[in-house]
PDB file of all heavy atoms in Angstrom:
ATOM      1  N   ILE A 191     158.097-121.908-158.981  1.00 97.00           N
ATOM      2  CA  ILE A 191     157.574-123.229-159.325  1.00 97.00           C
ATOM      3  C   ILE A 191     158.677-124.064-159.962  1.00 97.00           C
ATOM      4  O   ILE A 191     159.326-123.626-160.917  1.00 97.00           O
ATOM      5  CB  ILE A 191     156.387-123.113-160.298  1.00 97.00           C
ATOM      6  CG1 ILE A 191     155.279-122.243-159.684  1.00 97.00           C
ATOM      7  CG2 ILE A 191     155.837-124.493-160.646  1.00 97.00           C
ATOM      8  CD1 ILE A 191     154.155-121.911-160.645  1.00 97.00           C
ATOM      9  N   HIS A 192     158.886-125.236-159.403  1.00 96.00           N
ATOM     10  CA  HIS A 192     159.762-126.228-160.006  1.00 96.00           C
ATOM     11  C   HIS A 192     158.844-127.184-160.765  1.00 96.00           C
ATOM     12  O   HIS A 192     158.243-128.077-160.168  1.00 96.00           O
ATOM     13  CB  HIS A 192     160.551-126.972-158.926  1.00 96.00           C
ATOM     14  CG  HIS A 192     161.522-127.963-159.459  1.00 96.00           C
ATOM     15  ND1 HIS A 192     162.106-128.940-158.659  1.00 96.00           N
ATOM     16  CD2 HIS A 192     162.040-128.154-160.704  1.00 96.00           C
ATOM     17  CE1 HIS A 192     162.927-129.673-159.378  1.00 96.00           C
ATOM     18  NE2 HIS A 192     162.897-129.216-160.629  1.00 96.00           N
ATOM     19  N   PRO A 193     158.682-126.982-162.078  1.00 95.00           N
ATOM     20  CA  PRO A 193     157.675-127.727-162.834  1.00 95.00           C
ATOM     21  C   PRO A 193     157.757-129.238-162.609  1.00 95.00           C
ATOM     22  O   PRO A 193     158.829-129.835-162.707  1.00 95.00           O
ATOM     23  CB  PRO A 193     157.994-127.364-164.290  1.00 95.00           C
ATOM     24  CG  PRO A 193     158.608-126.007-164.198  1.00 95.00           C
ATOM     25  CD  PRO A 193     159.432-126.041-162.940  1.00 95.00           C
ATOM     26  N   GLY A 194     156.606-129.818-162.288  1.00 92.00           N
ATOM     27  CA  GLY A 194     156.538-131.258-162.076  1.00 92.00           C
ATOM     28  C   GLY A 194     156.993-131.715-160.711  1.00 92.00           C
ATOM     29  O   GLY A 194     156.991-132.921-160.430  1.00 92.00           O
ATOM     30  N   ASN A 195     157.379-130.776-159.831  1.00 95.00           N
ATOM     31  CA  ASN A 195     157.910-131.161-158.530  1.00 95.00           C
ATOM     32  C   ASN A 195     157.229-130.443-157.372  1.00 95.00           C
ATOM     33  O   ASN A 195     156.349-130.981-156.723  1.00 95.00           O
ATOM     34  CB  ASN A 195     159.423-130.921-158.497  1.00 95.00           C
ATOM     35  CG  ASN A 195     160.166-131.893-159.375  1.00 95.00           C
ATOM     36  OD1 ASN A 195     160.466-133.009-158.963  1.00 95.00           O
ATOM     37  ND2 ASN A 195     160.475-131.495-160.607  1.00 95.00           N
ATOM     38  N   ARG A 196     157.621-129.179-157.114  1.00 95.00           N
ATOM     39  CA  ARG A 196     157.106-128.472-155.942  1.00 95.00           C
ATOM     40  C   ARG A 196     156.885-126.995-156.270  1.00 95.00           C
ATOM     41  O   ARG A 196     157.373-126.475-157.284  1.00 95.00           O
ATOM     42  CB  ARG A 196     158.096-128.559-154.772  1.00 95.00           C
ATOM     43  CG  ARG A 196     158.441-129.983-154.337  1.00 95.00           C
ATOM     44  CD  ARG A 196     157.361-130.610-153.478  1.00 95.00           C
ATOM     45  NE  ARG A 196     157.721-131.962-153.080  1.00 95.00           N
ATOM     46  CZ  ARG A 196     158.472-132.263-152.025  1.00 95.00           C
ATOM     47  NH1 ARG A 196     158.949-131.285-151.253  1.00 95.00           N
ATOM     48  NH2 ARG A 196     158.750-133.523-151.725  1.00 95.00           N
ATOM     49  N   VAL A 197     156.182-126.334-155.359  1.00 96.00           N
ATOM     50  CA  VAL A 197     156.014-124.883-155.387  1.00 96.00           C
ATOM     51  C   VAL A 197     156.734-124.336-154.171  1.00 96.00           C
ATOM     52  O   VAL A 197     156.502-124.798-153.049  1.00 96.00           O
ATOM     53  CB  VAL A 197     154.528-124.480-155.354  1.00 96.00           C
ATOM     54  CG1 VAL A 197     154.385-122.966-155.245  1.00 96.00           C
ATOM     55  CG2 VAL A 197     153.808-124.982-156.605  1.00 96.00           C
ATOM     56  N   TRP A 198     157.607-123.356-154.366  1.00 96.00           N
ATOM     57  CA  TRP A 198     158.376-122.770-153.272  1.00 96.00           C
ATOM     58  C   TRP A 198     157.802-121.403-152.926  1.00 96.00           C
ATOM     59  O   TRP A 198     157.565-120.576-153.814  1.00 96.00           O
ATOM     60  CB  TRP A 198     159.844-122.622-153.678  1.00 96.00           C
ATOM     61  CG  TRP A 198     160.474-123.908-154.143  1.00 96.00           C
ATOM     62  CD1 TRP A 198     160.225-125.161-153.653  1.00 96.00           C
ATOM     63  CD2 TRP A 198     161.433-124.073-155.188  1.00 96.00           C
ATOM     64  NE1 TRP A 198     160.985-126.087-154.322  1.00 96.00           N
ATOM     65  CE2 TRP A 198     161.738-125.457-155.272  1.00 96.00           C
ATOM     66  CE3 TRP A 198     162.076-123.193-156.049  1.00 96.00           C
ATOM     67  CZ2 TRP A 198     162.646-125.976-156.183  1.00 96.00           C
ATOM     68  CZ3 TRP A 198     162.992-123.706-156.967  1.00 96.00           C
ATOM     69  CH2 TRP A 198     163.274-125.078-157.024  1.00 96.00           C
ATOM     70  N   SER A 199     157.603-121.167-151.635  1.00 94.00           N
ATOM     71  CA  SER A 199     157.068-119.880-151.208  1.00 94.00           C
ATOM     72  C   SER A 199     157.466-119.606-149.770  1.00 94.00           C
ATOM     73  O   SER A 199     157.978-120.483-149.069  1.00 94.00           O
ATOM     74  CB  SER A 199     155.532-119.873-151.330  1.00 94.00           C
ATOM     75  OG  SER A 199     154.948-120.691-150.323  1.00 94.00           O
ATOM     76  N   LEU A 200     157.220-118.367-149.344  1.00 93.00           N
ATOM     77  CA  LEU A 200     157.413-117.975-147.957  1.00 93.00           C
ATOM     78  C   LEU A 200     156.060-117.560-147.383  1.00 93.00           C
ATOM     79  O   LEU A 200     155.802-116.398-147.114  1.00 93.00           O
ATOM     80  CB  LEU A 200     158.419-116.823-147.852  1.00 93.00           C
ATOM     81  CG  LEU A 200     159.886-117.164-148.064  1.00 93.00           C
ATOM     82  CD1 LEU A 200     160.745-115.907-147.985  1.00 93.00           C
ATOM     83  CD2 LEU A 200     160.377-118.189-147.052  1.00 93.00           C
TER      84      LEU A 200
END
Side-chain angles (χ1 to χ4, degrees):
I191 303 172
H192 183 195
N195 290 276
R196 302 281 180 85
V197 174
W198 305 324
S199 72
L200 286 178

